[in-house]
Amino acid sequence: MVTTQQSRVAGETLSIDAVKSVALPTGVRLPYVERGDPDGVPVLLLHGYTDSWLSWEPVLPHLPGTMHAFVPTQRGHGDAERPEDGYGLHDFDADMAAFVNTLGLGPVVIVGTSMGSIVAQRFAIDYPERTRGLVLVAAATNWRTPETVEFSEIVAALEDPIDPGFVRGFQESTLARPLAPEFIDAIVAESLKMPARVWRAALEGCLEADLADALGAIDAPTLIVSAGRDAYLPSSEQEALVAAIPGARLIVYHDAGHALHWEEPARFAADLVAFVDGLAT
């Protein structure tokens, strides 16, 4: 199934490839966007908690056509299928392995932000032969910080329909500076597609994930991008990732919040391109 969708970045309507969808052997159908040269390095971009492929919309126009980008919406989120259960880390991880296999991709550079960074870590650990490189954005070794635990207590009490004002407040809390209202409106609308049960289950999956003891097994080149004004994850977590993953390199966006790729999409795209280009040398 292919549907046509327009993309807005910074108030400008862009022509973007049609949103496609793929049925996976894990039992879910996921929407995804594909852009770039089919012969280019495959780069898999994973969004954060309650988001969708739209989360990467600000970055996509800044990526060169030579990069073959794949941007899926993960299970339970956006317009992806929402099974009754199956929102642990291993479920998201299995989906991404199935996505790579089903589309016949070679080793990928896997990029994950926030929740997506946990999935990316697990993928690199479980499927080293399929991981060409790893980029972790607003990431952690353990997600049980005081801020995330407090937020989980609020999420535990959510009921459908979820209050749009609550969703807007949550999304704005990931920022250190204001963004275009139309982009925030679109992000809020995507988050509102997710029922309360999935808000709870996906967040529980994040908080239960603790990969600290397994990170030393990652042998793919790794870039960690940290936000200096992250309201949810302290810089000590990114420093712990650098210490745990052999050869990992850290870049800090000192004035950005948790959703740093929304605030500085051009800078992030440039750093990602430099990282990918470096893998070929």
Side-chain angles (χ1 to χ4, degrees), residues 64-138:
T66 53
M67 182 179 290
H68 197 187
F70 292 84
V71 196
T73 296
Q74 299 181 77
R75 63 167 56 210
H77 293 66
D79 293 320
E81 289 188 341
R82 290 181 271 277
E84 286 301 313
D85 53 22
Y87 295 97
L89 178 56
H90 64 283
D91 299 300
F92 291 106
D93 180 38
D95 283 347
M96 289 307 101
F99 184 88
V100 169
N101 284 346
T102 302
L103 295 184
L105 306 183
V108 300
V109 177
I110 186 164
V111 183
T113 182
S114 192
M115 183 193 81
S117 73
I118 312 174
V119 182
Q121 289 173 55
R122 186 74 262 175
F123 184 96
I125 293 165
D126 292 342
Y127 308 103
E129 74 286 356
R130 301 177 192 173
T131 307
R132 183 179 304 209
L134 175 64
V135 181
L136 303 177
V137 184

Side-chain angles (χ1 to χ4, degrees), residues 43 45 63 67 109 111 135 268-277:
V43 178
L45 297 154
L63 297 180
M67 182 179 290
V109 177
V111 183
V135 181
F268 177 79
D271 286 333
L272 175 59
V273 170
F275 174 76
V276 174
D277 287 349

Side-chain angles (χ1 to χ4, degrees), residues 134 136 218 220-224 238 240-250:
L134 175 64
L136 303 177
I218 294 176
T222 301
L223 175 67
I224 296 164
Q238 290 88 60
L241 284 169
V242 173
I245 300 174
R249 183 165 62 92
L250 175 66

Side-chain angles (χ1 to χ4, degrees), residues 34-260:
E34 178 183 357
R35 288 187 54 148
D37 183 354
D39 294 325
V41 175
V43 178
L44 185 60
L45 297 154
L46 304 185
H47 62 77
Y49 173 66
T50 82
D51 293 330
S52 70
W53 77 265
L54 197 73
S55 175
W56 289 103
E57 184 188 55
V59 175
L60 292 177
H62 300 287
L63 297 180
T66 53
M67 182 179 290
H68 197 187
F70 292 84
V71 196
T73 296
Q74 299 181 77
R75 63 167 56 210
H77 293 66
D79 293 320
E81 289 188 341
R82 290 181 271 277
E84 286 301 313
D85 53 22
Y87 295 97
L89 178 56
H90 64 283
D91 299 300
F92 291 106
D93 180 38
D95 283 347
M96 289 307 101
F99 184 88
V100 169
N101 284 346
T102 302
L103 295 184
L105 306 183
V108 300
V109 177
I110 186 164
V111 183
T113 182
S114 192
M115 183 193 81
S117 73
I118 312 174
V119 182
Q121 289 173 55
R122 186 74 262 175
F123 184 96
I125 293 165
D126 292 342
Y127 308 103
E129 74 286 356
R130 301 177 192 173
T131 307
R132 183 179 304 209
L134 175 64
V135 181
L136 303 177
V137 184
T141 61
N142 186 325
W143 281 71
R144 297 192 67 85
T145 67
E147 292 79 10
T148 57
V149 170
E150 180 182 1
F151 181 66
S152 72
E153 293 170 353
I154 299 171
V155 170
L158 289 180
E159 295 182 357
D160 295 317
I162 297 176
D163 176 13
F166 167 77
V167 175
R168 185 174 298 276
F170 163 63
Q171 291 291 9
E172 290 178 346
S173 75
T174 68
L175 301 170
R177 69 192 80 167
L179 297 183
E182 59 268 28
F183 176 70
I184 295 299
D185 289 346
I187 289 295
V188 169
E190 290 295 285
S191 294
L192 285 169
K193 294 177 180 179
M194 205 164 92
R197 64 177 177 84
V198 182
W199 276 71
R200 290 191 291 270
L203 185 55
E204 287 170 4
C206 290
L207 296 183
E208 290 171 359
D210 186 350
L211 301 179
D213 292 338
L215 294 173
I218 294 176
D219 61 3
T222 301
L223 175 67
I224 296 164
V225 187
S226 173
R229 298 171 64 185
D230 193 325
Y232 289 94
L233 301 175
S235 59
S236 59
E237 279 298 327
Q238 290 88 60
E239 292 165 0
L241 284 169
V242 173
I245 300 174
R249 183 165 62 92
L250 175 66
I251 297 176
V252 181
Y253 290 21
H254 292 284
D255 295 325
H258 187 71
L260 63 88

